[in-house]
Amino acid sequence: MDRARARTTAALRAIRPVDGLLAAVTFVAVLAGTARFGGRLDAAGALPLALWLGLLLLVRRRWPLAVLLLSVQAVVVFRTSGLTDIGWVWPVSAAYACLAADDRPGRPGLPRAAAVGVTALLLAAGWELPTAGSPREALGSLGAEALWLALLLATATAYRNRLRWRAELDARLLRAARERDLEAGRRIAEARLEIARELHDVVGHTLTVVGLQLRVATESLDDSPAEARAALATAQEVRTAAVRDLRALVHVLRAPGEPAHPSPSPSPFPSPSPSPEEPAAGVPELGALVARLRTPSLAVRLETTGDPAAVPAPVSLAVHRLVQEALTNTARHSGAARADVTVHCAADRVEVTVSDDGPTPQGPAAAPGHGIRGMTERVHALGGELTAGRPGDGGGWLVRAVIPVPGFRP
């Protein structure tokens, strides 16, 4: 009892204003159609039939098939009992259309509506042909009913297909928006990773070189003032280049619309003014990089073959950063006295090798740090391969990378 009452309450709550409007239109249409086609309008026939067909439509959303079956049954009962004499299909037009347009999963509304309609027409033919005064009139009436049923089902099918198309279009638009958001998030993550690598390379290299040159200046200040001044000048040059690179990174991170060169605040330190014509880091600038890292305690040799100017900018920058990070690690961690850098620029690839003669560390090998991880990511992003480790039992450290050159055609 409680379950039936709950179902009734749920069905009443599902009634919407459009259902009431559809019920009212059906009530009026049945009465008007009966009068238009010359049928009887009386309190025992057309009026209760119209009222029953209209009331059933109030619960069409919850039970569309049951509404159609009860409506068709009511028409058959009223027609066969002589209470009304007009229509077999058209009084139930709304119920047929609602079931045929039902697009919910697991509810094949169109086949069910067509099956009920064909059954109703067969019952009508079995009743009309023996009792009609003229077989031609009966066939004409049944043909009109069949055409009306076909029109109803076709219209309902078109409406259902439109609903499906709109739902599919909305789903595609939503999926496209989600894919755009995912792509934007991926690009932001890649940009952040790239900026993190640049910051690591710039700051780490700058601190290492400045520290080396300051140590050289301290050790040679009394004995060789000229060498001390040269070391301090090198440290100042590295500091200037680092400030320029950091300003470029900050400009990338600055919000859109914010001025690129805000008014400078007073500072006790001189601010470098880099020239816009100054070349970006690349293979041709490796000589200056190696010169900054040379000290009396670390000899660095550079050998470059091929045409460095022909290397594309992304590959050239990656090679520069790779050599910079490898030499920075050598100067900071290895305790080596010598480092060799070899860069071979071929037509289809660039091969880079950085090795040193540092002592072999005792104990298990340390886990790769951010520097090696950053070098690996740079090389892999360009489709290359990188290896880093001890070359053998003789000690030292070896970094080797092979980066393909885009646009090469064998």
PDB file of all heavy atoms in Angstrom, residues 95-108:
ATOM      1  N   ALA A  95      -0.813  10.366 -27.714  1.00  0.00           N
ATOM      2  CA  ALA A  95      -0.195   9.207 -27.061  1.00  0.00           C
ATOM      3  C   ALA A  95       0.751   8.484 -28.011  1.00  0.00           C
ATOM      4  O   ALA A  95       1.852   8.056 -27.619  1.00  0.00           O
ATOM      5  CB  ALA A  95      -1.267   8.255 -26.563  1.00  0.00           C
ATOM      6  N   TYR A  96       0.340   8.345 -29.299  1.00  0.00           N
ATOM      7  CA  TYR A  96       1.239   7.743 -30.290  1.00  0.00           C
ATOM      8  C   TYR A  96       2.532   8.562 -30.434  1.00  0.00           C
ATOM      9  O   TYR A  96       3.645   8.015 -30.437  1.00  0.00           O
ATOM     10  CB  TYR A  96       0.534   7.653 -31.651  1.00  0.00           C
ATOM     11  CG  TYR A  96      -0.359   6.459 -31.817  1.00  0.00           C
ATOM     12  CD1 TYR A  96      -1.734   6.607 -31.945  1.00  0.00           C
ATOM     13  CD2 TYR A  96       0.168   5.171 -31.870  1.00  0.00           C
ATOM     14  CE1 TYR A  96      -2.575   5.511 -32.114  1.00  0.00           C
ATOM     15  CE2 TYR A  96      -0.660   4.064 -32.032  1.00  0.00           C
ATOM     16  CZ  TYR A  96      -2.027   4.242 -32.150  1.00  0.00           C
ATOM     17  OH  TYR A  96      -2.846   3.151 -32.299  1.00  0.00           O
ATOM     18  N   ALA A  97       2.397   9.872 -30.571  1.00  0.00           N
ATOM     19  CA  ALA A  97       3.567  10.722 -30.772  1.00  0.00           C
ATOM     20  C   ALA A  97       4.497  10.700 -29.565  1.00  0.00           C
ATOM     21  O   ALA A  97       5.727  10.661 -29.706  1.00  0.00           O
ATOM     22  CB  ALA A  97       3.124  12.143 -31.079  1.00  0.00           C
ATOM     23  N   CYS A  98       3.921  10.714 -28.363  1.00  0.00           N
ATOM     24  CA  CYS A  98       4.762  10.724 -27.156  1.00  0.00           C
ATOM     25  C   CYS A  98       5.569   9.446 -27.026  1.00  0.00           C
ATOM     26  O   CYS A  98       6.752   9.473 -26.658  1.00  0.00           O
ATOM     27  CB  CYS A  98       3.888  10.936 -25.922  1.00  0.00           C
ATOM     28  SG  CYS A  98       3.157  12.583 -25.819  1.00  0.00           S
ATOM     29  N   LEU A  99       4.952   8.289 -27.342  1.00  0.00           N
ATOM     30  CA  LEU A  99       5.685   7.035 -27.239  1.00  0.00           C
ATOM     31  C   LEU A  99       6.733   6.922 -28.330  1.00  0.00           C
ATOM     32  O   LEU A  99       7.866   6.479 -28.075  1.00  0.00           O
ATOM     33  CB  LEU A  99       4.722   5.855 -27.310  1.00  0.00           C
ATOM     34  CG  LEU A  99       5.371   4.464 -27.224  1.00  0.00           C
ATOM     35  CD1 LEU A  99       6.119   4.302 -25.918  1.00  0.00           C
ATOM     36  CD2 LEU A  99       4.322   3.363 -27.395  1.00  0.00           C
ATOM     37  N   ALA A 100       6.395   7.319 -29.560  1.00  0.00           N
ATOM     38  CA  ALA A 100       7.355   7.206 -30.658  1.00  0.00           C
ATOM     39  C   ALA A 100       8.558   8.127 -30.457  1.00  0.00           C
ATOM     40  O   ALA A 100       9.664   7.810 -30.895  1.00  0.00           O
ATOM     41  CB  ALA A 100       6.673   7.528 -31.982  1.00  0.00           C
ATOM     42  N   ALA A 101       8.342   9.281 -29.811  1.00  0.00           N
ATOM     43  CA  ALA A 101       9.441  10.224 -29.586  1.00  0.00           C
ATOM     44  C   ALA A 101      10.238   9.930 -28.326  1.00  0.00           C
ATOM     45  O   ALA A 101      11.219  10.626 -28.048  1.00  0.00           O
ATOM     46  CB  ALA A 101       8.899  11.649 -29.513  1.00  0.00           C
ATOM     47  N   ASP A 102       9.845   8.908 -27.553  1.00  0.00           N
ATOM     48  CA  ASP A 102      10.555   8.582 -26.315  1.00  0.00           C
ATOM     49  C   ASP A 102      11.962   8.095 -26.659  1.00  0.00           C
ATOM     50  O   ASP A 102      12.138   7.120 -27.396  1.00  0.00           O
ATOM     51  CB  ASP A 102       9.786   7.497 -25.556  1.00  0.00           C
ATOM     52  CG  ASP A 102      10.350   7.288 -24.164  1.00  0.00           C
ATOM     53  OD1 ASP A 102      11.196   8.101 -23.750  1.00  0.00           O
ATOM     54  OD2 ASP A 102       9.942   6.321 -23.494  1.00  0.00           O
ATOM     55  N   ASP A 103      12.957   8.778 -26.137  1.00  0.00           N
ATOM     56  CA  ASP A 103      14.346   8.497 -26.503  1.00  0.00           C
ATOM     57  C   ASP A 103      15.175   8.031 -25.318  1.00  0.00           C
ATOM     58  O   ASP A 103      16.388   8.127 -25.334  1.00  0.00           O
ATOM     59  CB  ASP A 103      14.978   9.761 -27.100  1.00  0.00           C
ATOM     60  CG  ASP A 103      16.251   9.448 -27.873  1.00  0.00           C
ATOM     61  OD1 ASP A 103      16.352   8.343 -28.425  1.00  0.00           O
ATOM     62  OD2 ASP A 103      17.160  10.292 -27.899  1.00  0.00           O
ATOM     63  N   ARG A 104      14.537   7.539 -24.289  1.00  0.00           N
ATOM     64  CA  ARG A 104      15.286   7.087 -23.128  1.00  0.00           C
ATOM     65  C   ARG A 104      15.894   5.709 -23.373  1.00  0.00           C
ATOM     66  O   ARG A 104      15.327   4.898 -24.118  1.00  0.00           O
ATOM     67  CB  ARG A 104      14.369   7.050 -21.905  1.00  0.00           C
ATOM     68  CG  ARG A 104      14.081   8.417 -21.326  1.00  0.00           C
ATOM     69  CD  ARG A 104      13.029   8.381 -20.236  1.00  0.00           C
ATOM     70  NE  ARG A 104      11.706   8.149 -20.791  1.00  0.00           N
ATOM     71  CZ  ARG A 104      10.600   8.132 -20.068  1.00  0.00           C
ATOM     72  NH1 ARG A 104      10.668   8.332 -18.762  1.00  0.00           N
ATOM     73  NH2 ARG A 104       9.430   7.918 -20.628  1.00  0.00           N
ATOM     74  N   PRO A 105      17.058   5.415 -22.781  1.00  0.00           N
ATOM     75  CA  PRO A 105      17.718   4.120 -23.003  1.00  0.00           C
ATOM     76  C   PRO A 105      16.834   2.966 -22.542  1.00  0.00           C
ATOM     77  O   PRO A 105      16.175   3.033 -21.504  1.00  0.00           O
ATOM     78  CB  PRO A 105      19.001   4.218 -22.152  1.00  0.00           C
ATOM     79  CG  PRO A 105      19.235   5.684 -21.968  1.00  0.00           C
ATOM     80  CD  PRO A 105      17.873   6.312 -21.935  1.00  0.00           C
ATOM     81  N   GLY A 106      16.845   1.891 -23.324  1.00  0.00           N
ATOM     82  CA  GLY A 106      16.075   0.710 -22.972  1.00  0.00           C
ATOM     83  C   GLY A 106      14.594   0.825 -23.253  1.00  0.00           C
ATOM     84  O   GLY A 106      13.825  -0.044 -22.820  1.00  0.00           O
ATOM     85  N   ARG A 107      14.154   1.871 -23.962  1.00  0.00           N
ATOM     86  CA  ARG A 107      12.741   2.041 -24.274  1.00  0.00           C
ATOM     87  C   ARG A 107      12.588   2.234 -25.779  1.00  0.00           C
ATOM     88  O   ARG A 107      12.630   3.366 -26.261  1.00  0.00           O
ATOM     89  CB  ARG A 107      12.161   3.244 -23.536  1.00  0.00           C
ATOM     90  CG  ARG A 107      12.237   3.105 -22.026  1.00  0.00           C
ATOM     91  CD  ARG A 107      11.317   4.098 -21.367  1.00  0.00           C
ATOM     92  NE  ARG A 107      11.368   4.004 -19.921  1.00  0.00           N
ATOM     93  CZ  ARG A 107      10.475   4.540 -19.106  1.00  0.00           C
ATOM     94  NH1 ARG A 107       9.473   5.223 -19.593  1.00  0.00           N
ATOM     95  NH2 ARG A 107      10.583   4.407 -17.796  1.00  0.00           N
ATOM     96  N   PRO A 108      12.411   1.166 -26.558  1.00  0.00           N
ATOM     97  CA  PRO A 108      12.224   1.306 -28.009  1.00  0.00           C
ATOM     98  C   PRO A 108      10.824   1.833 -28.325  1.00  0.00           C
ATOM     99  O   PRO A 108       9.911   1.078 -28.659  1.00  0.00           O
ATOM    100  CB  PRO A 108      12.437  -0.125 -28.529  1.00  0.00           C
ATOM    101  CG  PRO A 108      12.073  -1.007 -27.384  1.00  0.00           C
ATOM    102  CD  PRO A 108      12.435  -0.251 -26.138  1.00  0.00           C
TER     103      PRO A 108
END
